[in-house]
Amino acid sequence: MNIIPNATFAALGTTVFTVMSALANEHNAVNLGQGFPDTDGPEDVRAVAARALMEASNQYPPMRGLPALRQAVARHEARFYGLEVDPDRGVLVTSGATEALTASIMAFVNPGDEVILIEPAYDSYLPIVRQAGATPRFLRLEPPRWRLEEDRLAALITPKTKLLILNTPHNPVGRVFSEEELEMVSRLTCHHGFLVVSDEVYEHIVFDGKRHRPLITFPGMGERTLKIASAGKTFSLTGWKVGMVTAAPALIDQVAKVHQFLTFTTPPNLQAAVAYGLGKEDAYFDGLIADMQAKRDRLSAGLAPLGFNVLPSEGTYFLTCDYAKLSSEDDVTFAKRLVVEVGVATIPLSPFVEGGWPHRLIRFCFAKQDAVLEEGLARLRRYFGT
Ligand code: PMP
Ligand code: GLN
């Protein structure tokens, strides 16, 4: 019997999020690691899902997504970004952004192609790029500014470049790339003629009065960008796994061909509820930002006096901290010690880069109830406080 597994996946461990959450449970730690809110999203959205489960069809919805959701996505893109999207041909509903990313990469990458990844890179990108037979090219951002530099990006582009994977707002570093940086990316992309998979799952979590601007809205990018969204992030319902791709019809057609054999469809009641949710009043979206921003500020204010160098978080629900003043351990060792000895779980950043990483950085998730953030801080204060 030959049970030799697929080489790409056999080489992988378990994701750092699962590892740290398991360790947190084992040690009864306050879990500020894996990114998920500890309260569920809007009750009215959940009520629509519950009602649809009982009253609407529970059979396969259309392969590209419920028409009501595709229409809601098109209205959402027009309302927030002034984008004109064809709900029938320019939108695809997937089972989470994770599936959207995988389907988008698989749809366009051939063996021998090159794909540019921006490091630190969310951990689901690289294995799929490798499995597609492409060669990854890494553009590593440097703390604390994490800027996208034109000369460094330009140096990675070759005639074989097929795809760039961008993530803004950026997990784990919390950057929202500026108009200038995105304009530069657009210019190089159009000049060299490749595609961008733009992971914008935190599009509604951007702080300090700034607004998210999707890459697809930049000149020339409408025909070469796959914009990826996640209801899990927008509605604090991460278990739902409803993702959405917005792109030119010719691109969506190809991604749909992969989607039909990855998952084919996504639970119809959840799609109906997300369709409802995307139409919620501005107060909901503004409230999400205000809520998360207050939590960011609460956690930063508590961490800084303990010796953590808190890097700016412009978006997402993550804060990155340099702990070099507190320890010379590598980030995985330090993060494990925090769980075991302090009772606080975080995420080390080294799993998001290939090879070595000289920095001492860990990520805290602040999408937690205030009392939970305070308990985490109290534990850290008892351990590191003077
Ligand atoms: N991309 C990024 C940057 C994320 O943080 C997440 C959250 N897990 C995902 C994609 C996947 O989203 P989903 O849970 O909708 O699959
Ligand atoms: N995106 C979440 C995070 O960054 C985790 C998702 C997962 O556990 N797969 O923490």
Side-chain angles (χ1 to χ4, degrees):
M1 183 170 61
N2 181 352
I3 57 161
I4 298 170
N6 171 275
T8 305
F9 293 102
L12 300 176
T14 302
T15 86
V16 63
F17 307 116
T18 298
V19 169
M20 293 309 289
S21 278
L23 202 62
N25 285 340
E26 190 186 322
H27 292 274
N28 232 339
V30 175
N31 191 353
L32 306 182
Q34 190 179 21
F36 62 90
D38 62 354
T39 46
D40 280 344
E43 200 172 319
D44 55 348
V45 175
R46 287 183 282 137
V48 174
R51 219 176 310 121
L53 188 82
M54 298 312 292
E55 293 170 10
S57 168
N58 286 283
Q59 308 311 323
Y60 298 127
M63 188 268 278
R64 290 183 180 217
L66 277 190
L69 179 50
R70 286 186 273 120
Q71 285 153 13
V73 171
R75 279 196 300 272
H76 168 276
E77 305 294 50
R79 169 182 167 194
F80 287 96
Y81 310 123
L83 263 177
E84 208 178 299
V85 175
D86 177 346
D88 295 325
R89 307 199 47 228
V91 179
L92 178 73
V93 178
T94 58
S95 292
T98 308
E99 194 217 343
L101 287 159
T102 296
S104 299
I105 296 166
M106 289 178 72
F108 291 102
V109 173
N110 284 302
D113 287 344
E114 295 180 3
V115 175
I116 300 176
L117 296 171
I118 295 168
E119 288 188 323
Y122 182 66
D123 67 346
S124 80
Y125 310 154
L126 181 58
I128 307 303
V129 167
R130 288 223 159 103
Q131 181 54 27
T135 304
R137 298 276 176 228
F138 299 104
L139 173 58
R140 191 173 284 189
L141 305 181
E142 290 299 327
R145 297 186 64 221
W146 308 111
R147 269 192 65 80
L148 276 169
E149 307 286 357
E150 176 160 4
D151 51 343
R152 296 192 50 228
L153 176 55
L156 292 177
I157 299 170
T158 77
K160 291 184 177 168
T161 305
K162 172 55 79 64
L163 198 71
L164 164 72
I165 305 180
L166 184 84
N167 174 211
T168 187
H170 188 283
N171 177 14
V173 311
R175 268 227 61 204
V176 175
F177 294 113
S178 67
E179 292 257 331
E180 292 69 33
E181 287 166 298
L182 296 179
E183 191 278 322
M184 177 275 286
V185 170
S186 305
R187 196 162 23 81
L188 291 181
T189 303
C190 293
H191 183 73
H192 294 278
F194 50 86
L195 297 173
V196 181
V197 169
S198 194
D199 178 345
E200 303 181 11
V201 298
Y202 298 100
E203 62 188 327
H204 286 293
I205 311 179
V206 173
F207 305 129
D208 304 315
K210 294 205 189 93
R211 284 278 160 193
H212 174 71
R213 176 159 175 207
L215 191 72
I216 198 170
T217 64
F218 282 76
M221 295 306 287
E223 63 202 85
R224 45 182 85 258
T225 307
L226 296 126
K227 172 182 180 284
I228 291 177
S230 168
K233 315 295 174 188
T234 299
F235 299 109
S236 299
L237 295 163
T238 60
W240 278 23
K241 302 296 284 189
V242 179
M244 291 144 285
V245 188
T246 300
L251 303 185
I252 290 289
D253 285 347
Q254 293 307 312
V255 183
K257 289 185 189 181
V258 185
H259 164 72
Q260 68 185 340
F261 295 131
L262 277 178
T263 59
F264 184 53
T265 58
T266 297
N269 67 315
L270 302 183
Q271 293 195 48
V274 173
Y276 163 82
L278 288 175
K280 275 179 78 69
E281 66 287 0
D282 288 348
Y284 168 72
F285 295 94
D286 295 343
L288 178 66
I289 292 173
D291 205 32
M292 290 298 175
Q293 186 169 317
K295 291 180 186 300
R296 175 198 67 173
D297 294 344
R298 176 184 289 272
L299 188 63
S300 319
L303 289 172
L306 299 177
F308 288 100
N309 179 16
V310 182
L311 307 191
S313 168
E314 301 170 313
T316 74
Y317 34 59
F318 304 117
L319 263 188
T320 303
C321 290
D322 187 316
Y323 61 85
K325 266 203 227 150
L326 297 171
S327 167
S328 58
E329 288 162 308
D330 68 77
D331 59 353
V332 172
T333 308
F334 182 69
K336 287 193 170 154
R337 183 155 68 88
L338 284 190
V339 180
V340 176
E341 295 182 16
V342 186
V344 174
T346 61
I347 297 288
L349 257 67
S350 59
F352 303 98
V353 300
E354 277 287 285
W357 179 246
H359 306 296
R360 304 264 177 269
L361 295 167
I362 54 172
R363 186 195 83 178
F364 290 83
C365 173
F366 51 77
K368 307 293 171 185
Q369 295 171 69
D370 290 347
V372 173
L373 295 175
E374 289 302 335
E375 175 58 25
L377 285 169
R379 291 180 184 198
L380 289 162
R381 247 177 242 124
R382 279 200 291 278
Y383 192 82
F384 291 112
T386 47

